[in-house]
């Protein structure tokens, strides 16, 4: 039945997966990193749903790997974007912290949110009604979409196979971990048959996946350093992926300009920036997440390095022009 409801596009980092909800009023969930929008357009055409025929773009949350394609699709086709108010309002007011862009030191191009989504809303494609769930934890305004009759969930980063969405205690507060625990518990009660996550392949054993995530997050209540290591390793690995690796000098400049790096060093580990730099790189090397290749610290996980020159125009919300 899911094949009649949606099409799923698994994507390599730095892009998140995209999901096309089928129907006369088709909806695209998450547009990926900005460098991958041409591939997304080609895929939509191949599904028989050219971009201009979409009724709506829904963002599960505001991180650059999920919203980066909004800019082009909105500018080229006039498509409306929908998101939770807590993440929509900062975007629309061009707040420097919108999308976490300044804190994470990640590029994201301008877009505007026209539709505010709340828990309990129904998105009707003309073929199926999708329930909007507020699933915070990974981000404050994180949303998931649920089709109860088929037991299908489009989860963004609220559910991942073999992992959990990283938790940002330094911007979202200590409650972010409790929200993640609560979210996995609520999702586990939905009698799901399949989950389409923001990264990785569809999850066909939702009960086991969500139980493992809930147990891991619950253990983290007593293991704050594990929360911190999980987050900072993923942020740095993502940067290595979309930047095509970094030399020693480039790493120094990147760390200097990244608020997340300084807050993790000071508040999570009580280390000087130099000591944390050494420890973090060693941890990536130890974990097999990165290696030195031709003088560049390079991510080893599957990813597609963006083509040079993909980014044009302002890449920080405070520099976006008003819509």
């Amino acid at each position: 039945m899911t094949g009649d409801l949606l099409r799923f596009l698994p994507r390599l980092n730095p892009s998140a997966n995209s999901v096309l909800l089928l129907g006369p009023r088709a909806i695209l969930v998450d547009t990926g990193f900005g460098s991958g929008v041409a591939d997304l357009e080609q895929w939509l055409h191949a599904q028989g749903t050219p971009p201009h025929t979409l009724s709506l773009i829904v963002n599960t949350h505001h991180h650059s790997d999920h919203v980066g394609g909004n800019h082009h699709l909105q500018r080229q086709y006039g498509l409306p974007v929908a998101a939770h108010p807590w993440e929509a309002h900062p975007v629309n007011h061009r707040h420097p912290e919108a999308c976490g862009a300044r804190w994470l030191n990640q590029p994201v191009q301008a877009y505007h949110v026209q539709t505010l989504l709340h828990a309990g809303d129904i998105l009707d494609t003309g073929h199926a009604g999708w329930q909007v769930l507020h699933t915070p934890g990974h981000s404050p305004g994180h949303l998931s979409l649920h089709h109860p009759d088929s037991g299908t969930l489009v989860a963004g980063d609220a559910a991942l196979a073999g992992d959990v969405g990283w938790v940002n205690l330094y911007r979202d507060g200590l409650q972010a971990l409790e929200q993640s625990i609560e979210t996995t518990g609520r999702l586990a009660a939905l009698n799901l048959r399949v989950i389409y996550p923001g990264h990785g392949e569809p999850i066909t054993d939702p009960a086991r996946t969500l139980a493992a995530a809930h147990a891991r997050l619950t253990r983290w209540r007593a293991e704050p350093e594990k929360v911190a290591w999980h987050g900072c390793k993923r942020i740095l690995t993502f940067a290595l992926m979309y930047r095509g690796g970094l030399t020693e000098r480039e790493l120094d400049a990147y760390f200097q300009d990244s608020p997340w790096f300084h807050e993790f060093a000071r508040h999570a580990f009580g280390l000087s920036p130099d000591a944390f730099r050494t420890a973090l790189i060693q941890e990536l090397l130890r974990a097999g997440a990165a290696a030195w290749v031709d003088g560049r610290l390079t991510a080893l996980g599957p990813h597609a390095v963006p083509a040079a020159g993909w980014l044009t125009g302002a890449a920080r919300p405070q520099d976006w022009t008003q819509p």
Side-chain angles (χ1 to χ4, degrees):
M1 183 175 180
T2 10
D4 299 328
L5 287 173
L6 60 80
R7 297 288 185 269
F8 177 67
L9 176 61
R11 307 180 75 183
L12 290 175
N13 284 317
S15 278
N17 297 333
S18 295
V19 179
L20 176 63
L21 306 182
L22 300 174
R25 296 182 293 277
I27 294 171
L28 179 65
V29 183
D30 289 342
T31 59
F33 197 64
S35 62
V37 71
D39 292 338
L40 176 60
E41 285 182 295
Q42 290 179 355
W43 179 79
L44 287 169
H45 279 285
Q47 307 314 305
T49 307
H52 73 272
T53 67
L54 294 169
S55 69
L56 189 66
I57 293 169
V58 172
N59 294 148
T60 59
H61 62 294
H62 61 185
H63 291 152
S64 65
D65 54 331
H66 292 256
V67 305
N70 291 2
H71 173 79
H72 173 78
L73 294 177
Q74 197 165 64
R75 184 181 61 176
Q76 187 73 19
Y77 306 105
L79 299 177
V81 172
H84 191 280
W86 294 350
E87 298 181 2
H89 291 314
V91 164
N92 289 350
H93 288 88
R94 288 16 189 169
H95 193 285
E97 295 297 345
C99 304
R102 181 166 69 176
W103 192 79
L104 290 168
N105 192 7
Q106 293 176 2
V108 60
Q109 293 171 289
Y111 66 98
H112 192 79
V113 179
Q114 288 85 359
T115 302
L116 303 180
L117 296 178
H118 303 81
D121 288 347
I122 302 294
L123 296 175
D124 185 4
T125 66
H127 178 62
W130 292 83
Q131 296 181 357
V132 176
L133 308 180
H134 184 207
T135 50
H138 178 60
S139 78
H142 195 292
L143 299 173
S144 300
L145 302 180
H146 180 218
H147 186 260
D149 291 348
S150 64
T152 302
L153 184 76
V154 179
D157 289 356
L160 302 170
D163 199 359
V164 295
W166 67 274
V167 180
N168 188 353
L169 302 180
Y170 303 103
R171 272 294 179 264
D172 301 337
L174 293 174
Q175 70 271 14
L177 178 59
E178 297 305 317
Q179 289 171 336
S180 292
I181 294 169
E182 181 182 343
T183 286
T184 54
R186 285 192 291 112
L187 295 181
L190 292 180
N191 192 31
L192 298 171
R193 295 187 180 93
V194 61
I195 297 173
Y196 292 91
H199 301 275
E201 296 295 327
I203 297 168
T204 56
D205 55 351
R208 180 192 296 181
T209 296
L210 291 167
H214 191 269
R216 184 180 185 185
L217 291 162
T218 301
R219 289 195 303 271
W220 277 357
R221 283 173 168 155
E223 301 171 329
E225 280 207 3
K226 287 190 176 180
V227 182
W229 276 121
H230 183 260
C232 65
K233 286 192 295 184
R234 274 148 187 77
I235 297 169
L236 178 54
T237 301
F238 182 77
L240 297 178
M241 289 177 172
Y242 78 78
R243 291 169 181 254
L246 292 168
T247 65
E248 288 272 11
R249 180 174 294 182
E250 290 168 342
L251 274 168
D252 288 339
Y254 168 74
F255 287 141
Q256 181 62 35
D257 293 340
S258 298
W260 71 264
F261 172 82
H262 299 281
E263 292 196 20
F264 273 109
R266 179 179 178 185
H267 299 298
F269 304 109
L271 295 174
S272 69
D274 285 345
F276 180 50
R277 178 192 188 281
T278 299
L280 179 53
I281 292 172
Q282 287 179 343
E283 178 60 20
L284 285 190
L285 298 173
R286 182 204 64 78
W292 289 104
V293 179
D294 297 329
R296 304 180 72 82
L297 186 65
T298 302
L300 295 182
H303 65 285
V305 178
W310 73 267
L311 181 61
T312 58
R316 293 290 184 269
Q318 68 268 27
D319 299 323
W320 295 347
T321 58
Q322 293 299 323

